[in-house]
Amino acid sequence: MRVPLSWLREYVDLPATETGRDVQAKLISAGLEVETVEHLGADLKGPLVVGQVLTIEELEGFKKPIRFCTVDVGQANGTGLPQEIVCGARNFAAGDKVVVVLPGAVLPGGFAIAARKTYGKVSHGMICSGDELGMGDDGSNGIIVLPPETEVGRDAVELLELVDEVLDIAVTPDRGYCLSMRGVARETAIAYGLPLRDPALLDVPGPNAYGYPVEVSDPVGCDRFTARTVTGLSPDARSPIWLTRRLQKAGMRPVSLAVDVTNYVMLELGQPLHAYDRSLVRGTIGVRRAEQGEKLTTLDGVRRTLDAEDLVITDERGPIGLAGVMGGADTEIADHGLEQATSEVVVEAAHFDPVTVARTARRHKLSSEASRRFERGVDPQAAAAAAQRTVDLLVLLAGGTAEAGVTEFTAPSAPHTLTIPADHPDKVAGVAYGRETVVRRLQQVGCDVHGQDELIVTVPSWRPDLTDPNDLAEEVIRLEGYENLPISLPRPPAGRGLTPRQRLHRRTGRALAGAGYVEAPNYPFVGEQIFDQLGLEADDPARRVVKLTNPLNDEEPALRTSLLPGLLGALRRNDGRGSHDLALFETGLVFKPREEQPAAVRLPVDRRPTDEELAGLDAALPDQPRHVAAVLAGARERAGWWGAGRPADWADAVEAARTVAAEAGAELVVRQGRYGPWHPGRCAELAVTVDGAERVIGHAGELHPRVVKNLGLPARTCAMELDLDALEQAGEGVPQAPGISTFPVATQDVALVVDGSVPAADVEAALREGAGELLESIRLFDVYENAGQLGEGRKSLAYALRFRAPDRTLTVDEASAARESAVALAGERTGATLRG
């Protein structure tokens, strides 16, 4: 809401020394968000005067029309002689009154005016347009043409009110009353402790049987409708300068007198209005819900198909306007000066349901000044006053006559009343305001207050946001000043640290960051087409998603079941922006619907929910395990003077999984696997033992080339994903530092020949179990395949086994016995034989 300070002073007697900055500070203290104060005309310097065009000479031989004019500016130029000016505008004629800037003046933007030769003539000044004076668009598409009665030589700066300050207020949805001068003036009066001259306090005649016929079929959608008629409007009447300037300062473009008056009253009182050309309205004006598929051409020239939920204004032909949003073209007011200009209007001032208007505006993607106000709440009691104000202005400015008939439909309603303890604001703020202060502040915002310890508060009609005792407490607190509230920090309860789950989450992030990965959190929303791009089977459980009722993006309506879509998207974006060596990770929740999903219970708001109610709500939620994922592309080790680099490969993805498992204190089983987006020959299946049973908790390796192509990823992209919650269950909590033995290690190497289909992980598990307690570590250090030496389809796996006892030095026989036991069990389980 743009609020000119000069207009605001009409309703509040602000001190003459108060500037826009001073008013801004006061309103911010009262809780309004005043974003900027615009100083209009701050860099404007005269002389800027009213002139009358005497002669116009068309100059020939130029690419565009050029006119050489003589203009009478009175004594403003010091000589009284006509001023010679070159001008290219075409929207004025000899005898018109215009705005002339003389040499020595400075226009907004620092544009200095001087006599200069142009188009073969010397131009002593300039005939001005609204844009050149910083006034904005006045709809003329040319220079300003003033009313004929304007005095020649008059100071145009004063006439056009070019110097002013405008407050730009960001009105929050709960403060809809501040989308009007009346509302902002009320807040200003309270902030300064000054009386308010309420522009809505008008003498309004009561309804009678002679008004224009109106029939409201939907009193829920429209609970108040006032209609007034004005006849005899002069077709040549134009909006006066003061009216157009106020509209321009408030950010609206002047159109025609009737339209300008309705816009002016809307800005003044906050009540949207609409004026119909009476000669174009057929029969009774009605208010009803639209029929599905009905058509309406709105004032913007768009023919719209209506929905059954739309509230419309009708006549006997059908819809003539979208209620609270925009009028129809069939009853549009014709502009002044036209042969068939409107001379009779029906003024509508109604109150529509905010939810209905909001849904209609969004459904048709048609936000308007009217819909913005109705959505945020309009004072229903202001409709009659707004209609009267509009009629008065039309009679005054267009020479019209107000008909005696007054139509007013009002649905039965009662004022909203709240009961609040007198000390409730004290308890909320932690400040002892006292009853007198509470009553005074509530009365200032327009409430009627009665009672002593228990206050009975009747909320004013312009404050639909006051629905709860806490809302009333907020009014008291903000008017007393948020800056006066005491500052106190909450005391955290002692002895409560992070949970084991939180500690693991943090350790995982630190470990991956230490390994060179960068955390890249992503939105948890996906589109179901991503599962096709990842190559998941049709019956894959990951395809079962939880869909959002009101998604932020229609293309991503579901909650993720994997972290990979978001991470791979982040990798693709970074690669496309020139970062080719990437290692990203994310930890976060995934969402898996339950087999039987009960409906969520609605929790009470007047008391604390019971444990059973909270448990019912939890049962309606999907499973939300925490996952960790990492993706890699490009170089894992860069080349340089220190040597050759190394590209990231599947082994790096597996090592990332091992790093996470080490933080959980879990033993990770790594074996060959095959799943979805991973390359079938370069995919590791990751498993842990939970409660004595082995459980697959993720995969790691290189992505399938088809997936890389589908998602536009760099070649040989690798990825890893683990169920972090399952890993925590398999772990032993915080890893314990191993004891350091003072006795030497005994190293035994063994090379085993097995069938090519036998996983190395199975061989390693058998060796580990067979070696017994003396085995400290085992490492696969070589894989060898040679059909000539080993046989077709055979491979050699070489392991380094380290043995150590905690209390003695091992003998050669002890180490050899442990080795032979390990080899024997591996041979029994996997068919392994010693090589050579």
Side-chain angles (χ1 to χ4, degrees):
M1 176 70 186
R2 290 172 56 85
V3 178
L5 190 59
S6 59
W7 194 356
L8 185 63
R9 290 181 183 275
E10 282 200 6
Y11 313 117
V12 183
D13 289 327
L14 295 172
T17 57
E18 287 294 283
T19 66
R21 294 290 184 190
D22 298 329
V23 177
Q24 177 189 31
K26 286 283 190 179
L27 292 180
I28 289 176
S29 179
L32 288 181
E33 186 179 346
V34 184
E35 292 186 329
T36 59
V37 177
E38 183 179 351
H39 297 270
L40 302 181
D43 52 354
L44 177 64
K45 178 183 176 182
L48 188 72
V49 298
V50 176
Q52 183 173 21
V53 180
L54 300 178
T55 63
I56 298 176
E57 177 187 351
E58 301 288 346
L59 301 182
E60 304 292 340
F62 299 103
K63 294 182 179 180
K64 60 180 181 179
I66 298 297
R67 313 169 94 186
F68 180 65
C69 310
T70 59
V71 185
D72 178 14
V73 295
Q75 298 298 320
N77 57 4
T79 65
L81 298 175
Q83 201 80 1
E84 296 179 340
I85 299 175
V86 176
C87 182
R90 312 291 297 175
N91 67 313
F92 67 98
D96 283 345
K97 303 289 181 64
V98 295
V99 178
V100 179
V101 58
L102 300 176
V106 179
L107 294 183
F111 183 55
I113 303 299
R116 65 189 184 95
K117 187 173 183 180
T118 178
Y119 297 103
K121 300 285 186 179
V122 177
S123 182
H124 298 274
M126 189 168 70
I127 303 176
C128 298
S129 68
D131 285 336
E132 289 165 341
L133 297 179
M135 296 170 54
D137 183 15
D138 61 359
S140 66
N141 296 318
I143 61 98
I144 302 169
V145 178
L146 300 171
E149 64 272 13
T150 310
E151 180 185 355
V152 172
R154 181 177 175 181
D155 182 5
V157 175
E158 177 186 356
L159 174 68
L160 299 177
E161 303 177 12
L162 297 178
V163 178
D164 202 350
E165 292 180 279
V166 178
L167 285 69
D168 194 350
I169 303 175
V171 179
T172 53
D174 62 328
R175 295 287 185 85
Y177 67 98
C178 284
L179 286 172
S180 67
M181 294 300 303
R182 181 193 184 200
V184 176
R186 179 177 286 106
E187 291 295 319
T188 306
I190 296 172
Y192 278 91
L194 297 172
L196 169 71
R197 286 188 291 274
D198 191 344
L201 296 179
L202 301 174
D203 291 331
V204 180
N208 54 52
Y210 309 108
Y212 198 93
V214 173
E215 180 180 347
V216 178
S217 303
D218 189 340
V220 175
C222 175
D223 58 7
R224 189 176 294 264
F225 195 106
T226 300
R228 301 287 299 275
T229 304
V230 181
T231 60
L233 300 178
S234 170
D236 296 323
R238 298 173 53 184
S239 300
I241 293 174
W242 65 266
L243 178 59
T244 60
R245 288 298 294 134
R246 287 188 172 178
L247 291 177
Q248 288 174 325
K249 291 176 186 179
M252 302 191 74
R253 182 174 66 87
V255 178
S256 64
L257 178 58
V259 176
D260 291 349
V261 166
T262 57
N263 286 336
Y264 177 84
V265 175
M266 177 185 68
L267 291 173
E268 184 178 49
L269 301 182
Q271 168 67 54
L273 301 108
H274 190 72
Y276 300 93
D277 187 331
R278 183 178 180 179
S279 64
L280 300 178
V281 179
R282 300 286 184 263
T284 300
I285 291 178
V287 183
R288 61 169 172 83
R289 299 286 172 168
E291 297 177 6
Q292 187 68 37
E294 274 189 304
K295 305 291 185 180
L296 169 66
T297 302
T298 47
L299 288 174
D300 57 357
V302 177
R303 186 161 180 79
R304 304 180 184 276
T305 301
L306 303 181
D307 187 88
E309 291 298 316
D310 292 334
L311 191 68
V312 293
I313 311 298
T314 64
D315 65 4
E316 64 183 22
R317 297 167 298 180
I320 59 173
L322 274 176
V325 181
M326 185 174 286
D330 291 342
T331 57
E332 182 179 5
I333 298 291
D335 204 353
H336 62 268
L338 300 177
E339 291 183 2
Q340 297 181 348
T342 300
S343 60
E344 298 182 351
V345 299
V346 177
V347 177
E348 164 213 306
H351 183 262
F352 301 112
D353 175 52
V355 175
T356 300
V357 173
R359 288 177 177 172
T360 298
R362 283 157 179 73
R363 188 179 298 118
H364 294 282
K365 297 180 174 59
L366 187 61
S367 179
S368 64
E369 291 289 340
S371 67
R372 286 182 61 223
R373 285 164 172 80
F374 279 121
E375 288 172 14
R376 289 160 175 78
V378 168
D379 181 5
Q381 308 259 344
Q388 183 63 46
R389 176 70 164 146
T390 304
V391 169
D392 292 344
L393 287 173
L394 288 175
V395 170
L396 174 67
L397 302 176
T401 301
E403 289 194 350
V406 177
T407 303
E408 186 167 338
F409 164 82
T410 304
S413 63
H416 184 48
T417 301
L418 297 172
T419 300
I420 174 176
D423 61 349
H424 183 65
D426 302 14
K427 295 178 179 179
V428 172
V431 176
Y433 293 123
R435 179 187 178 281
E436 291 185 1
T437 299
V438 172
V439 171
R440 175 171 57 86
R441 289 304 191 184
L442 293 179
Q443 289 175 339
Q444 283 180 332
V445 299
C447 297
D448 288 333
V449 186
H450 303 281
Q452 292 299 318
D453 295 337
E454 288 285 333
L455 302 180
I456 300 174
V457 182
T458 302
V459 174
S461 58
W462 59 83
R463 293 300 302 272
D465 59 303
L466 302 181
T467 60
D468 184 87
N470 287 327
D471 295 329
L472 300 178
E474 181 187 3
E475 293 299 298
V476 175
I477 294 168
R478 75 175 179 88
L479 294 179
E480 284 295 305
Y482 289 121
E483 66 276 9
N484 296 323
L485 293 178
I487 298 174
S488 59
L489 296 176
R491 293 182 178 180
R496 294 185 182 179
L498 299 176
T499 65
R501 188 168 188 253
Q502 290 170 328
R503 286 197 293 269
L504 175 59
H505 181 207
R506 294 195 179 187
R507 288 201 312 273
T508 298
R510 284 195 295 265
L512 289 175
Y517 291 81
V518 176
E519 187 170 14
N522 295 282
Y523 288 116
F525 311 117
V526 296
E528 293 183 82
Q529 73 281 356
I530 189 65
F531 303 128
D532 296 327
Q533 296 172 326
L534 290 175
L536 299 185
E537 298 292 339
D539 58 348
D540 195 300
R543 285 182 175 270
R544 294 185 62 242
V545 295
V546 177
K547 291 190 177 180
L548 301 173
T549 302
N550 187 21
L552 296 178
N553 183 350
D554 291 338
E555 296 181 357
E556 295 180 335
L559 292 172
R560 66 189 178 190
T561 56
S562 166
L563 300 182
L564 288 183
L567 267 183
L568 293 175
L571 185 141
R572 180 180 62 248
R573 285 191 298 273
N574 282 275
D575 180 73
R577 287 162 174 75
S579 298
H580 304 302
D581 302 327
L582 297 163
L584 309 177
F585 83 93
E586 180 181 6
T587 56
L589 300 178
V590 298
F591 306 86
K592 298 182 178 181
R594 303 175 190 267
E595 292 296 332
E596 295 183 3
Q597 195 77 27
V601 298
R602 185 180 295 275
L603 296 181
V605 296
D606 57 343
R607 58 175 174 83
R608 186 187 187 282
T610 64
D611 293 341
E612 291 76 14
E613 289 170 333
L614 292 175
L617 184 65
D618 288 339
L621 297 176
D623 290 328
Q624 302 177 52
R626 187 179 297 276
H627 280 205
V628 57
V631 294
L632 305 99
R636 187 68 175 126
E637 297 175 5
R638 293 187 178 182
W641 57 266
W642 51 85
R646 181 180 67 82
D649 60 17
W650 63 268
D652 293 302
V654 174
E655 186 58 30
R658 293 185 189 275
T659 299
V660 175
E663 291 299 323
E667 185 176 339
L668 192 67
V669 178
V670 180
R671 56 173 172 256
Q672 185 176 3
R674 185 186 183 97
Y675 179 70
W678 280 276
H679 191 295
R682 303 187 182 108
C683 173
E685 184 178 81
L686 309 174
V688 293
T689 300
V690 179
D691 297 331
E694 191 175 85
R695 176 178 169 186
V696 176
I697 63 169
H699 295 82
E702 182 181 318
L703 295 183
H704 198 289
R706 185 166 52 248
V707 174
V708 170
K709 180 180 179 181
N710 289 342
L711 298 178
L713 302 172
R716 312 301 289 266
T717 296
C718 301
M720 174 278 294
E721 183 167 13
L722 286 173
D723 185 335
L724 195 56
D725 286 347
L727 198 62
E728 181 186 5
Q729 296 174 22
E732 299 177 355
V734 178
Q736 299 297 318
I740 306 300
S741 175
T742 60
F743 297 95
V745 65
T747 302
Q748 297 274 351
D749 292 345
V750 59
L752 301 176
V753 178
V754 297
D755 190 80
S757 62
V758 175
D762 292 352
V763 178
E764 180 179 326
L767 288 173
R768 188 182 299 276
E769 183 178 344
E773 295 180 354
L774 295 179
L775 181 67
E776 183 179 78
S777 68
I778 181 172
R779 179 175 64 88
L780 175 67
F781 65 86
D782 183 57
V783 178
Y784 178 70
E785 296 179 354
N786 188 310
Q789 296 184 13
L790 304 177
E792 189 69 32
R794 306 281 285 175
K795 64 183 177 182
S796 171
L797 305 176
Y799 293 90
L801 286 70
R802 291 168 57 92
F803 299 98
R804 195 193 313 256
D807 56 350
R808 68 188 187 280
T809 299
L810 292 177
T811 65
V812 174
D813 292 341
E814 288 177 313
S816 297
R819 173 183 177 273
E820 290 171 1
S821 176
V823 171
L825 187 59
E828 179 182 338
R829 290 188 177 177
T830 65
T833 59
L834 282 172
R835 181 178 171 187

